[in-house]
Amino acid sequence: MTTMPHVDPERLAALLGPRARTCRRALTGQEGIALPAFMDHHLHLHLVNEHALPARGIAAALDLGGDPAYFARRPKRGIPQVAYAGAFLTVPGGYPTFQPWAPAQIVHMVTSPSADPGVPGGARTSVDEMADAGASVIKVALNSAAGPVFDRGTLDAVIAAAHARALPVVAHVEGDGMTALAVDAGADTIAHVPFTERVDDELIARAVEAGQRWISTITINEDPSIAAENLGRFAAAGGAVLYGTDLGNGPRGAGLLVEELHALHEAGVAGPALIAALTDPWPLPHPETAVATFVAGPPPADEAAIPEWLGAATVVPAEELTPHEP
């Protein structure tokens, strides 16, 4: 049985944020630390063993590219709780067309800026198809390194249609100028911290002012240095950072990725800010409260130790956790 000494509540809050608390797990008698449920804000469930996620700390997930028909049929409750974009919206020949990991049903071609309903390939119709399948966000591909991308008029029409359905737009940006295109067009979130171009401070300031969120996915890159540098300046400017991994992309185990946590910490998203990136329920309307994150034993010694310490996190029913009494 894990036991631990008294933990000062003020020190705990300074280290892990105001919602951290000491607790005892009723089922096992273990003492440890409870945190709100963690969310991976970027993965692909058709490439991941989703049933392995809770055992390694992930209670909720945002799928950013999957079959909308599958998700429309999928049970709406359960752990992990899942929000989704449905298919990538792209242009003919655009990313991720012809990618080996992207079956045809997760790619939707937008061929017209039409704002009228029922126009095949039209911007509004394309958004409506994902929204009617239950999507919580709309995903657009802006990858000039892999092929053609939306012209500004069509992108504006897609974003307007999404916002009319009260859905935020998540943009995959890759290639020169793609981050500026996403910011200028009003995309709400960047699916990967920009990793192919250094984003200047003026553009970062505009992204922060617009309330844009950036999803980390730093360690999916062969060379993470550009993404880490961009993320550090975005976070320092007050930008909202979300933890995400792009799980399914490459041979990585399902669950919380300690290497991604280290990368966030080293970029300046540390301590309570790191926990906030993990526990923000966006785009879900409310955090998952039926379960919590549990780490057995005492809290980490300092902020630098948090990523490794979180490697032992697991998802447990919230009702199992009772306040710790030393």
Side-chain angles (χ1 to χ4, degrees), residues 5 44 57 95 142 147 189 265 310 315:
H44 299 278
Y95 180 85
L142 302 177
T189 302
H265 174 86
L310 285 175
V315 178

Side-chain angles (χ1 to χ4, degrees), residues 5-21:
H6 172 73
V7 176
D8 177 57
E10 291 187 4
R11 177 186 175 274
L12 188 64
L15 186 66
L16 297 171
R19 293 183 289 174
R21 61 186 177 90

